Amino acid sequence: MGRFVARRLLQMIPVFIGSTFLIFCMMFALPGDPVRALYGEQALDQAQIHEIKHSLGLDKPFLLQYWDYLTGLFQGDFGTQIASQRPVSEVIAEALPVTLRLALFAFVFVSVVGITIGLIAGLRPDTLVDRALLILTLLLVSIPSFVMGYLAQYVFAFELGLTTPNVQDSENLGQLMLPAVVLAALSLAYVARLTRTSVAENLRADYVRTAVAKGLPRRRIVTVHLLRNSLIPVVTFLGTELGTLMAGAVVTEGIFNVRGIGNTVFEALTRREGSTVVGIVTLIVIIYLVASLIVDLLYAVLDPRIRYA
């Protein structure tokens, strides 16, 4: 197991460098001048623009800029935001807890509700419950997230008055419930269908028939034998889902006015704040890599037959 963990950690290094390099390339290739955009229509001397770019290192060649960013990153420096002249790490520290709270709320909702309804449908394949799940998940997959967001906002906030249309307090879980459910809707459909298919397939496996023939209680057969083996593909999907929820929060945070990572990325893109965008994406990449490693380690817990050489 130790060799496996060490090998996976070494594999993360080129993945991390490659992903950050690609996002750095895309931000560098965007048209426009971030310093000029900062001052809008205000007249600015070219010497002042050059001085600002020199202080931020924007006048250096591309590869040298990336090298400076990479070396600073390993020292905990994510760069400097052009508009506010604040360290990007401070900007992330303000926005990250909000998005993390929203994503964790959505992740728990996806895991509990998705696995539960998927298990119920998988235990009763080709029944009315199974067909109802199919219709529900197809509906959730078909509706775009921004349509789902505005529809939920109109129905539950304006028509029923059950919640506020916009999040005014990001620490209030009651206000975060509606945007979290909207954020989790698409993932919920995938988790439910994946759980249903895996359970229905394993229900016909030999080890389940053997457990039934031995006279084991149905609850033990389902929870210990059937569900444990059926969760392996679901855990694979959920392992990267936290990063997906954080990255997909741009639309949801915009609809419900949540001041988190998604909103910060959107504002940074409009101002061509490359350092802010790259810093946030770097953080999400790290979350993806760590989650992927945890998922691989969980395989051995869920299925003792899996061994890592």
Short mmCIF file of all heavy atoms in Angstrom, two decimals, residues 34-102:
data_model
loop_
_atom_site.label_atom_id
_atom_site.label_comp_id
_atom_site.label_asym_id
_atom_site.label_seq_id
_atom_site.Cartn_x
_atom_site.Cartn_y
_atom_site.Cartn_z
N PRO A 34 -5.12 43.65 -19.09
CA PRO A 34 -5.75 43.73 -17.76
C PRO A 34 -5.47 45.04 -17.05
O PRO A 34 -6.32 45.54 -16.31
CB PRO A 34 -5.15 42.53 -17.01
CG PRO A 34 -3.89 42.20 -17.74
CD PRO A 34 -4.14 42.55 -19.16
N VAL A 35 -4.31 45.62 -17.26
CA VAL A 35 -3.99 46.89 -16.61
C VAL A 35 -4.80 48.01 -17.22
O VAL A 35 -5.36 48.87 -16.52
CB VAL A 35 -2.48 47.19 -16.71
CG1 VAL A 35 -2.16 48.54 -16.09
CG2 VAL A 35 -1.68 46.09 -16.04
N ARG A 36 -4.91 48.03 -18.56
CA ARG A 36 -5.72 49.04 -19.23
C ARG A 36 -7.20 48.88 -18.86
O ARG A 36 -7.91 49.87 -18.66
CB ARG A 36 -5.52 48.93 -20.74
CG ARG A 36 -6.45 49.80 -21.59
CD ARG A 36 -6.26 51.26 -21.33
NE ARG A 36 -4.95 51.72 -21.77
CZ ARG A 36 -4.54 52.97 -21.61
NH1 ARG A 36 -5.31 53.85 -21.00
NH2 ARG A 36 -3.33 53.33 -22.03
N ALA A 37 -7.68 47.62 -18.78
CA ALA A 37 -9.08 47.38 -18.41
C ALA A 37 -9.37 47.84 -16.99
O ALA A 37 -10.50 48.20 -16.65
CB ALA A 37 -9.41 45.90 -18.56
N LEU A 38 -8.37 47.85 -16.15
CA LEU A 38 -8.55 48.26 -14.75
C LEU A 38 -8.94 49.74 -14.66
O LEU A 38 -9.75 50.13 -13.82
CB LEU A 38 -7.25 48.00 -13.98
CG LEU A 38 -7.21 48.45 -12.52
CD1 LEU A 38 -8.24 47.69 -11.70
CD2 LEU A 38 -5.82 48.23 -11.94
N TYR A 39 -8.42 50.56 -15.55
CA TYR A 39 -8.67 52.00 -15.51
C TYR A 39 -9.77 52.44 -16.47
O TYR A 39 -10.12 53.62 -16.51
CB TYR A 39 -7.38 52.76 -15.80
CG TYR A 39 -6.36 52.64 -14.70
CD1 TYR A 39 -5.40 51.62 -14.72
CD2 TYR A 39 -6.36 53.50 -13.62
CE1 TYR A 39 -4.46 51.50 -13.71
CE2 TYR A 39 -5.43 53.39 -12.60
CZ TYR A 39 -4.48 52.38 -12.66
OH TYR A 39 -3.56 52.26 -11.64
N GLY A 40 -10.31 51.53 -17.27
CA GLY A 40 -11.42 51.85 -18.13
C GLY A 40 -11.08 52.92 -19.14
O GLY A 40 -10.06 52.87 -19.84
N GLU A 41 -11.96 53.96 -19.21
CA GLU A 41 -11.77 55.04 -20.16
C GLU A 41 -10.82 56.12 -19.66
O GLU A 41 -10.54 57.10 -20.36
CB GLU A 41 -13.13 55.68 -20.48
CG GLU A 41 -14.14 54.74 -21.11
CD GLU A 41 -13.67 54.24 -22.47
OE1 GLU A 41 -12.95 55.00 -23.15
OE2 GLU A 41 -14.02 53.10 -22.84
N GLN A 42 -10.35 55.97 -18.45
CA GLN A 42 -9.46 56.98 -17.88
C GLN A 42 -8.14 57.03 -18.63
O GLN A 42 -7.54 56.00 -18.95
CB GLN A 42 -9.22 56.66 -16.39
CG GLN A 42 -8.31 57.65 -15.68
CD GLN A 42 -8.08 57.26 -14.23
OE1 GLN A 42 -8.72 56.34 -13.74
NE2 GLN A 42 -7.17 57.94 -13.58
N ALA A 43 -7.69 58.27 -18.93
CA ALA A 43 -6.42 58.44 -19.64
C ALA A 43 -5.26 58.05 -18.73
O ALA A 43 -5.22 58.44 -17.56
CB ALA A 43 -6.27 59.89 -20.10
N LEU A 44 -4.36 57.25 -19.28
CA LEU A 44 -3.24 56.76 -18.48
C LEU A 44 -1.98 56.81 -19.32
O LEU A 44 -1.96 56.38 -20.48
CB LEU A 44 -3.52 55.33 -18.01
CG LEU A 44 -2.67 54.81 -16.85
CD1 LEU A 44 -2.95 55.61 -15.58
CD2 LEU A 44 -2.95 53.33 -16.60
N ASP A 45 -0.93 57.33 -18.77
CA ASP A 45 0.34 57.44 -19.47
C ASP A 45 0.94 56.04 -19.68
O ASP A 45 0.83 55.17 -18.83
CB ASP A 45 1.29 58.31 -18.66
CG ASP A 45 2.58 58.57 -19.44
OD1 ASP A 45 2.50 58.98 -20.61
OD2 ASP A 45 3.66 58.33 -18.86
N GLN A 46 1.58 55.85 -20.85
CA GLN A 46 2.18 54.56 -21.16
C GLN A 46 3.28 54.20 -20.17
O GLN A 46 3.49 53.02 -19.87
CB GLN A 46 2.75 54.58 -22.58
CG GLN A 46 1.69 54.61 -23.67
CD GLN A 46 0.87 53.34 -23.68
OE1 GLN A 46 1.36 52.26 -23.37
NE2 GLN A 46 -0.39 53.48 -24.04
N ALA A 47 3.95 55.21 -19.65
CA ALA A 47 4.99 54.94 -18.65
C ALA A 47 4.39 54.37 -17.37
O ALA A 47 4.97 53.48 -16.73
CB ALA A 47 5.77 56.22 -18.35
N GLN A 48 3.19 54.86 -16.99
CA GLN A 48 2.52 54.34 -15.81
C GLN A 48 2.08 52.89 -16.03
O GLN A 48 2.21 52.04 -15.14
CB GLN A 48 1.30 55.20 -15.47
CG GLN A 48 1.64 56.60 -14.97
CD GLN A 48 0.40 57.41 -14.70
OE1 GLN A 48 -0.28 57.85 -15.62
NE2 GLN A 48 0.11 57.61 -13.43
N ILE A 49 1.55 52.62 -17.23
CA ILE A 49 1.14 51.25 -17.55
C ILE A 49 2.34 50.31 -17.50
O ILE A 49 2.26 49.20 -16.94
CB ILE A 49 0.47 51.20 -18.94
CG1 ILE A 49 -0.81 52.02 -18.94
CG2 ILE A 49 0.20 49.76 -19.35
CD1 ILE A 49 -1.50 52.07 -20.29
N HIS A 50 3.45 50.73 -18.08
CA HIS A 50 4.65 49.90 -18.07
C HIS A 50 5.16 49.68 -16.65
O HIS A 50 5.61 48.57 -16.30
CB HIS A 50 5.73 50.57 -18.92
CG HIS A 50 7.02 49.78 -18.96
ND1 HIS A 50 7.16 48.61 -19.68
CD2 HIS A 50 8.22 50.00 -18.34
CE1 HIS A 50 8.38 48.14 -19.52
NE2 HIS A 50 9.05 48.96 -18.71
N GLU A 51 5.05 50.70 -15.81
CA GLU A 51 5.52 50.57 -14.43
C GLU A 51 4.66 49.57 -13.65
O GLU A 51 5.18 48.75 -12.88
CB GLU A 51 5.48 51.94 -13.75
CG GLU A 51 6.02 51.91 -12.31
CD GLU A 51 5.99 53.28 -11.68
OE1 GLU A 51 5.67 54.27 -12.38
OE2 GLU A 51 6.26 53.36 -10.46
N ILE A 52 3.34 49.64 -13.87
CA ILE A 52 2.44 48.70 -13.18
C ILE A 52 2.70 47.28 -13.66
O ILE A 52 2.77 46.34 -12.86
CB ILE A 52 0.97 49.09 -13.43
CG1 ILE A 52 0.66 50.46 -12.80
CG2 ILE A 52 0.02 48.04 -12.87
CD1 ILE A 52 -0.72 50.98 -13.14
N LYS A 53 2.86 47.09 -14.98
CA LYS A 53 3.14 45.75 -15.51
C LYS A 53 4.47 45.22 -15.00
O LYS A 53 4.59 44.03 -14.69
CB LYS A 53 3.15 45.79 -17.04
CG LYS A 53 1.78 45.96 -17.67
CD LYS A 53 1.88 45.86 -19.19
CE LYS A 53 0.52 45.91 -19.84
NZ LYS A 53 0.60 45.81 -21.32
N HIS A 54 5.45 46.10 -14.89
CA HIS A 54 6.76 45.67 -14.40
C HIS A 54 6.68 45.24 -12.94
O HIS A 54 7.32 44.25 -12.53
CB HIS A 54 7.77 46.81 -14.57
CG HIS A 54 9.16 46.44 -14.10
ND1 HIS A 54 9.97 45.56 -14.79
CD2 HIS A 54 9.87 46.82 -12.99
CE1 HIS A 54 11.11 45.41 -14.14
NE2 HIS A 54 11.08 46.17 -13.05
N SER A 55 5.90 45.97 -12.13
CA SER A 55 5.77 45.61 -10.71
C SER A 55 5.06 44.29 -10.52
O SER A 55 5.31 43.57 -9.55
CB SER A 55 5.05 46.72 -9.96
OG SER A 55 3.72 46.86 -10.44
N LEU A 56 4.15 43.96 -11.46
CA LEU A 56 3.41 42.70 -11.37
C LEU A 56 4.07 41.58 -12.17
O LEU A 56 3.58 40.45 -12.15
CB LEU A 56 1.97 42.90 -11.87
CG LEU A 56 1.10 43.86 -11.06
CD1 LEU A 56 -0.23 44.09 -11.75
CD2 LEU A 56 0.86 43.30 -9.66
N GLY A 57 5.14 41.88 -12.89
CA GLY A 57 5.83 40.87 -13.68
C GLY A 57 5.13 40.52 -14.97
O GLY A 57 5.42 39.47 -15.58
N LEU A 58 4.20 41.40 -15.44
CA LEU A 58 3.45 41.11 -16.65
C LEU A 58 4.21 41.45 -17.92
O LEU A 58 3.73 41.16 -19.02
CB LEU A 58 2.11 41.88 -16.63
CG LEU A 58 1.15 41.53 -15.48
CD1 LEU A 58 -0.09 42.40 -15.56
CD2 LEU A 58 0.79 40.06 -15.52
N ASP A 59 5.36 42.10 -17.78
CA ASP A 59 6.16 42.44 -18.95
C ASP A 59 7.19 41.37 -19.29
O ASP A 59 7.95 41.51 -20.26
CB ASP A 59 6.86 43.78 -18.74
CG ASP A 59 7.75 43.77 -17.49
OD1 ASP A 59 7.57 42.87 -16.64
OD2 ASP A 59 8.61 44.67 -17.36
N LYS A 60 7.22 40.30 -18.52
CA LYS A 60 8.17 39.22 -18.76
C LYS A 60 7.63 38.26 -19.82
O LYS A 60 6.42 38.22 -20.08
CB LYS A 60 8.45 38.45 -17.46
CG LYS A 60 9.09 39.29 -16.36
CD LYS A 60 9.32 38.44 -15.13
CE LYS A 60 9.95 39.26 -14.01
NZ LYS A 60 10.16 38.44 -12.78
N PRO A 61 8.50 37.46 -20.45
CA PRO A 61 8.02 36.43 -21.39
C PRO A 61 7.11 35.42 -20.68
O PRO A 61 7.16 35.26 -19.46
CB PRO A 61 9.32 35.76 -21.87
CG PRO A 61 10.38 36.77 -21.62
CD PRO A 61 9.96 37.53 -20.40
N PHE A 62 6.31 34.74 -21.49
CA PHE A 62 5.29 33.84 -20.94
C PHE A 62 5.89 32.76 -20.04
O PHE A 62 5.42 32.54 -18.92
CB PHE A 62 4.50 33.20 -22.08
CG PHE A 62 3.66 32.03 -21.65
CD1 PHE A 62 2.54 32.21 -20.87
CD2 PHE A 62 4.04 30.74 -21.99
CE1 PHE A 62 1.77 31.13 -20.46
CE2 PHE A 62 3.29 29.65 -21.59
CZ PHE A 62 2.14 29.85 -20.81
N LEU A 63 6.90 32.06 -20.54
CA LEU A 63 7.49 30.96 -19.77
C LEU A 63 8.10 31.45 -18.46
O LEU A 63 8.02 30.77 -17.43
CB LEU A 63 8.54 30.23 -20.60
CG LEU A 63 8.00 29.43 -21.80
CD1 LEU A 63 9.15 28.79 -22.57
CD2 LEU A 63 7.03 28.35 -21.31
N LEU A 64 8.68 32.64 -18.49
CA LEU A 64 9.25 33.19 -17.27
C LEU A 64 8.16 33.57 -16.28
O LEU A 64 8.32 33.39 -15.06
CB LEU A 64 10.12 34.40 -17.60
CG LEU A 64 10.99 34.95 -16.46
CD1 LEU A 64 11.89 33.86 -15.89
CD2 LEU A 64 11.82 36.14 -16.93
N GLN A 65 7.03 34.08 -16.78
CA GLN A 65 5.90 34.38 -15.90
C GLN A 65 5.39 33.10 -15.25
O GLN A 65 5.08 33.08 -14.04
CB GLN A 65 4.78 35.04 -16.69
CG GLN A 65 5.03 36.46 -17.11
CD GLN A 65 3.81 37.10 -17.73
OE1 GLN A 65 2.70 36.89 -17.27
NE2 GLN A 65 4.02 37.88 -18.79
N TYR A 66 5.28 32.03 -16.03
CA TYR A 66 4.79 30.77 -15.46
C TYR A 66 5.78 30.22 -14.44
O TYR A 66 5.36 29.69 -13.40
CB TYR A 66 4.56 29.75 -16.58
CG TYR A 66 4.11 28.40 -16.06
CD1 TYR A 66 2.85 28.24 -15.52
CD2 TYR A 66 4.97 27.30 -16.09
CE1 TYR A 66 2.44 27.01 -15.03
CE2 TYR A 66 4.58 26.08 -15.60
CZ TYR A 66 3.31 25.94 -15.07
OH TYR A 66 2.91 24.73 -14.56
N TRP A 67 7.06 30.33 -14.72
CA TRP A 67 8.06 29.84 -13.77
C TRP A 67 7.99 30.62 -12.46
O TRP A 67 8.08 30.04 -11.38
CB TRP A 67 9.45 29.93 -14.39
CG TRP A 67 10.55 29.57 -13.43
CD1 TRP A 67 11.42 30.42 -12.82
CD2 TRP A 67 10.86 28.26 -12.95
NE1 TRP A 67 12.26 29.72 -11.99
CE2 TRP A 67 11.94 28.39 -12.05
CE3 TRP A 67 10.34 26.99 -13.19
CZ2 TRP A 67 12.51 27.30 -11.41
CZ3 TRP A 67 10.91 25.90 -12.54
CH2 TRP A 67 11.98 26.06 -11.66
N ASP A 68 7.82 31.94 -12.55
CA ASP A 68 7.69 32.76 -11.35
C ASP A 68 6.44 32.36 -10.55
O ASP A 68 6.47 32.29 -9.32
CB ASP A 68 7.62 34.24 -11.71
CG ASP A 68 8.94 34.77 -12.24
OD1 ASP A 68 9.98 34.11 -12.00
OD2 ASP A 68 8.94 35.83 -12.88
N TYR A 69 5.36 32.08 -11.29
CA TYR A 69 4.13 31.67 -10.60
C TYR A 69 4.31 30.33 -9.92
O TYR A 69 3.88 30.13 -8.77
CB TYR A 69 2.98 31.60 -11.61
CG TYR A 69 1.72 31.00 -11.02
CD1 TYR A 69 0.90 31.75 -10.18
CD2 TYR A 69 1.35 29.68 -11.29
CE1 TYR A 69 -0.24 31.21 -9.62
CE2 TYR A 69 0.21 29.14 -10.75
CZ TYR A 69 -0.58 29.90 -9.91
OH TYR A 69 -1.71 29.36 -9.36
N LEU A 70 4.95 29.39 -10.62
CA LEU A 70 5.12 28.04 -10.07
C LEU A 70 6.04 28.05 -8.85
O LEU A 70 5.74 27.40 -7.84
CB LEU A 70 5.68 27.12 -11.15
CG LEU A 70 5.42 25.61 -11.00
CD1 LEU A 70 3.93 25.34 -11.00
CD2 LEU A 70 6.08 24.85 -12.12
N THR A 71 7.12 28.78 -8.93
CA THR A 71 8.03 28.85 -7.77
C THR A 71 7.38 29.57 -6.59
O THR A 71 7.57 29.19 -5.44
CB THR A 71 9.33 29.57 -8.16
OG1 THR A 71 9.02 30.84 -8.75
CG2 THR A 71 10.14 28.73 -9.14
N GLY A 72 6.60 30.60 -6.88
CA GLY A 72 5.89 31.29 -5.81
C GLY A 72 4.81 30.43 -5.20
O GLY A 72 4.53 30.51 -3.99
N LEU A 73 4.21 29.58 -6.02
CA LEU A 73 3.13 28.71 -5.54
C LEU A 73 3.63 27.75 -4.48
O LEU A 73 2.94 27.49 -3.48
CB LEU A 73 2.54 27.95 -6.72
CG LEU A 73 1.25 27.18 -6.48
CD1 LEU A 73 0.13 28.13 -6.10
CD2 LEU A 73 0.86 26.39 -7.72
N PHE A 74 4.81 27.20 -4.67
CA PHE A 74 5.36 26.27 -3.69
C PHE A 74 5.80 26.97 -2.41
O PHE A 74 6.12 26.32 -1.42
CB PHE A 74 6.53 25.49 -4.29
CG PHE A 74 6.12 24.45 -5.29
CD1 PHE A 74 6.28 24.68 -6.65
CD2 PHE A 74 5.56 23.27 -4.87
CE1 PHE A 74 5.90 23.72 -7.57
CE2 PHE A 74 5.17 22.30 -5.79
CZ PHE A 74 5.34 22.53 -7.14
N GLN A 75 5.80 28.30 -2.43
CA GLN A 75 6.07 29.08 -1.22
C GLN A 75 4.80 29.66 -0.63
O GLN A 75 4.85 30.47 0.29
CB GLN A 75 7.04 30.21 -1.57
CG GLN A 75 8.39 29.73 -2.08
CD GLN A 75 9.27 30.87 -2.55
OE1 GLN A 75 8.93 32.03 -2.39
NE2 GLN A 75 10.42 30.52 -3.13
N GLY A 76 3.65 29.24 -1.18
CA GLY A 76 2.37 29.71 -0.67
C GLY A 76 1.91 31.03 -1.27
O GLY A 76 0.96 31.63 -0.77
N ASP A 77 2.56 31.48 -2.34
CA ASP A 77 2.20 32.74 -2.98
C ASP A 77 1.43 32.46 -4.25
O ASP A 77 1.97 31.94 -5.23
CB ASP A 77 3.47 33.55 -3.29
CG ASP A 77 3.16 34.90 -3.91
OD1 ASP A 77 1.99 35.31 -3.88
OD2 ASP A 77 4.10 35.54 -4.44
N PHE A 78 0.14 32.82 -4.27
CA PHE A 78 -0.72 32.60 -5.43
C PHE A 78 -0.73 33.79 -6.38
O PHE A 78 -1.49 33.81 -7.33
CB PHE A 78 -2.16 32.30 -4.99
CG PHE A 78 -2.36 30.91 -4.47
CD1 PHE A 78 -2.01 30.58 -3.17
CD2 PHE A 78 -2.89 29.91 -5.27
CE1 PHE A 78 -2.19 29.30 -2.68
CE2 PHE A 78 -3.07 28.63 -4.80
CZ PHE A 78 -2.72 28.32 -3.50
N GLY A 79 0.09 34.78 -6.12
CA GLY A 79 0.11 35.96 -6.96
C GLY A 79 -0.63 37.13 -6.33
O GLY A 79 -1.08 37.06 -5.18
N THR A 80 -0.77 38.19 -7.10
CA THR A 80 -1.40 39.42 -6.63
C THR A 80 -2.56 39.80 -7.55
O THR A 80 -2.41 39.76 -8.78
CB THR A 80 -0.39 40.59 -6.58
OG1 THR A 80 0.72 40.21 -5.77
CG2 THR A 80 -1.03 41.84 -6.01
N GLN A 81 -3.68 40.17 -6.95
CA GLN A 81 -4.83 40.62 -7.74
C GLN A 81 -4.57 42.04 -8.23
O GLN A 81 -4.21 42.93 -7.45
CB GLN A 81 -6.10 40.57 -6.90
CG GLN A 81 -7.37 40.72 -7.72
CD GLN A 81 -8.61 40.59 -6.85
OE1 GLN A 81 -8.73 41.29 -5.85
NE2 GLN A 81 -9.52 39.70 -7.21
N ILE A 82 -4.78 42.26 -9.53
CA ILE A 82 -4.45 43.55 -10.12
C ILE A 82 -5.37 44.66 -9.61
O ILE A 82 -4.93 45.74 -9.26
CB ILE A 82 -4.52 43.46 -11.66
CG1 ILE A 82 -3.52 42.42 -12.17
CG2 ILE A 82 -4.24 44.81 -12.30
CD1 ILE A 82 -3.59 42.19 -13.67
N ALA A 83 -6.67 44.38 -9.53
CA ALA A 83 -7.64 45.42 -9.19
C ALA A 83 -7.45 45.95 -7.78
O ALA A 83 -7.42 47.15 -7.54
CB ALA A 83 -9.06 44.90 -9.38
N SER A 84 -7.31 45.06 -6.83
CA SER A 84 -7.24 45.47 -5.42
C SER A 84 -5.83 45.46 -4.86
O SER A 84 -5.63 45.91 -3.72
CB SER A 84 -8.12 44.54 -4.57
OG SER A 84 -7.65 43.21 -4.65
N GLN A 85 -4.86 44.94 -5.64
CA GLN A 85 -3.48 44.82 -5.18
C GLN A 85 -3.38 43.96 -3.91
O GLN A 85 -2.45 44.12 -3.12
CB GLN A 85 -2.87 46.20 -4.93
CG GLN A 85 -2.67 47.04 -6.19
CD GLN A 85 -1.67 46.40 -7.15
OE1 GLN A 85 -0.54 46.11 -6.78
NE2 GLN A 85 -2.11 46.16 -8.38
N ARG A 86 -4.32 43.07 -3.75
CA ARG A 86 -4.30 42.15 -2.61
C ARG A 86 -3.73 40.82 -3.06
O ARG A 86 -3.86 40.44 -4.23
CB ARG A 86 -5.71 41.93 -2.06
CG ARG A 86 -6.39 43.16 -1.49
CD ARG A 86 -7.84 42.86 -1.20
NE ARG A 86 -7.98 41.73 -0.30
CZ ARG A 86 -9.11 41.02 -0.18
NH1 ARG A 86 -10.16 41.32 -0.92
NH2 ARG A 86 -9.17 40.02 0.67
N PRO A 87 -3.11 40.07 -2.15
CA PRO A 87 -2.67 38.72 -2.51
C PRO A 87 -3.86 37.85 -2.88
O PRO A 87 -4.93 37.92 -2.25
CB PRO A 87 -1.98 38.22 -1.23
CG PRO A 87 -1.62 39.45 -0.47
CD PRO A 87 -2.69 40.46 -0.79
N VAL A 88 -3.68 37.04 -3.91
CA VAL A 88 -4.76 36.15 -4.35
C VAL A 88 -5.13 35.16 -3.24
O VAL A 88 -6.29 34.76 -3.12
CB VAL A 88 -4.35 35.40 -5.63
CG1 VAL A 88 -5.40 34.39 -6.05
CG2 VAL A 88 -4.10 36.39 -6.76
N SER A 89 -4.17 34.81 -2.41
CA SER A 89 -4.45 33.89 -1.31
C SER A 89 -5.50 34.48 -0.35
O SER A 89 -6.33 33.74 0.18
CB SER A 89 -3.16 33.57 -0.54
OG SER A 89 -2.54 34.76 -0.08
N GLU A 90 -5.47 35.80 -0.14
CA GLU A 90 -6.48 36.43 0.71
C GLU A 90 -7.86 36.40 0.05
O GLU A 90 -8.87 36.19 0.73
CB GLU A 90 -6.08 37.87 1.02
CG GLU A 90 -4.87 38.01 1.94
CD GLU A 90 -4.61 39.46 2.31
OE1 GLU A 90 -5.43 40.32 1.91
OE2 GLU A 90 -3.60 39.73 2.98
N VAL A 91 -7.89 36.64 -1.25
CA VAL A 91 -9.16 36.59 -1.98
C VAL A 91 -9.76 35.19 -1.92
O VAL A 91 -10.96 35.02 -1.70
CB VAL A 91 -8.94 37.03 -3.45
CG1 VAL A 91 -10.24 36.94 -4.24
CG2 VAL A 91 -8.37 38.44 -3.51
N ILE A 92 -8.90 34.18 -2.11
CA ILE A 92 -9.38 32.80 -2.04
C ILE A 92 -9.84 32.45 -0.63
O ILE A 92 -10.85 31.77 -0.44
CB ILE A 92 -8.27 31.83 -2.51
CG1 ILE A 92 -7.95 32.06 -3.99
CG2 ILE A 92 -8.67 30.38 -2.27
CD1 ILE A 92 -6.80 31.21 -4.51
N ALA A 93 -9.11 32.93 0.37
CA ALA A 93 -9.46 32.63 1.76
C ALA A 93 -10.82 33.20 2.14
O ALA A 93 -11.52 32.64 2.99
CB ALA A 93 -8.38 33.19 2.70
N GLU A 94 -11.22 34.30 1.51
CA GLU A 94 -12.55 34.87 1.78
C GLU A 94 -13.65 34.12 1.06
O GLU A 94 -14.73 33.91 1.61
CB GLU A 94 -12.57 36.34 1.35
CG GLU A 94 -11.76 37.27 2.24
CD GLU A 94 -11.86 38.71 1.80
OE1 GLU A 94 -12.59 38.96 0.80
OE2 GLU A 94 -11.23 39.58 2.42
N ALA A 95 -13.39 33.72 -0.20
CA ALA A 95 -14.44 33.11 -1.01
C ALA A 95 -14.54 31.60 -0.84
O ALA A 95 -15.62 31.03 -0.98
CB ALA A 95 -14.21 33.44 -2.48
N LEU A 96 -13.41 30.94 -0.52
CA LEU A 96 -13.40 29.48 -0.46
C LEU A 96 -14.35 28.90 0.58
O LEU A 96 -15.07 27.95 0.28
CB LEU A 96 -11.97 28.98 -0.21
CG LEU A 96 -11.81 27.46 -0.11
CD1 LEU A 96 -12.22 26.79 -1.41
CD2 LEU A 96 -10.37 27.10 0.24
N PRO A 97 -14.40 29.41 1.83
CA PRO A 97 -15.31 28.81 2.82
C PRO A 97 -16.78 28.83 2.37
O PRO A 97 -17.53 27.90 2.67
CB PRO A 97 -15.10 29.66 4.06
CG PRO A 97 -13.74 30.24 3.91
CD PRO A 97 -13.57 30.47 2.44
N VAL A 98 -17.17 29.87 1.64
CA VAL A 98 -18.56 29.97 1.18
C VAL A 98 -18.86 28.87 0.17
O VAL A 98 -19.84 28.13 0.30
CB VAL A 98 -18.81 31.36 0.56
CG1 VAL A 98 -20.25 31.46 0.06
CG2 VAL A 98 -18.53 32.45 1.58
N THR A 99 -17.99 28.75 -0.85
CA THR A 99 -18.20 27.72 -1.87
C THR A 99 -18.04 26.32 -1.29
O THR A 99 -18.76 25.39 -1.67
CB THR A 99 -17.22 27.92 -3.04
OG1 THR A 99 -17.44 29.20 -3.62
CG2 THR A 99 -17.40 26.86 -4.11
N LEU A 100 -17.09 26.16 -0.38
CA LEU A 100 -16.87 24.85 0.23
C LEU A 100 -18.09 24.43 1.04
O LEU A 100 -18.50 23.26 1.01
CB LEU A 100 -15.63 24.89 1.12
CG LEU A 100 -14.99 23.56 1.50
CD1 LEU A 100 -14.61 22.78 0.25
CD2 LEU A 100 -13.77 23.78 2.37
N ARG A 101 -18.69 25.39 1.74
CA ARG A 101 -19.90 25.10 2.51
C ARG A 101 -21.04 24.71 1.58
O ARG A 101 -21.79 23.75 1.84
CB ARG A 101 -20.27 26.33 3.33
CG ARG A 101 -21.27 26.06 4.45
CD ARG A 101 -21.52 27.32 5.25
NE ARG A 101 -20.30 27.78 5.92
CZ ARG A 101 -19.71 28.93 5.67
NH1 ARG A 101 -20.20 29.76 4.76
NH2 ARG A 101 -18.62 29.29 6.31
N LEU A 102 -21.18 25.44 0.48
CA LEU A 102 -22.23 25.13 -0.49
C LEU A 102 -21.99 23.78 -1.16
O LEU A 102 -22.92 22.98 -1.32
CB LEU A 102 -22.28 26.25 -1.54
CG LEU A 102 -23.28 26.10 -2.68
CD1 LEU A 102 -24.71 26.15 -2.14
CD2 LEU A 102 -23.07 27.19 -3.72
#
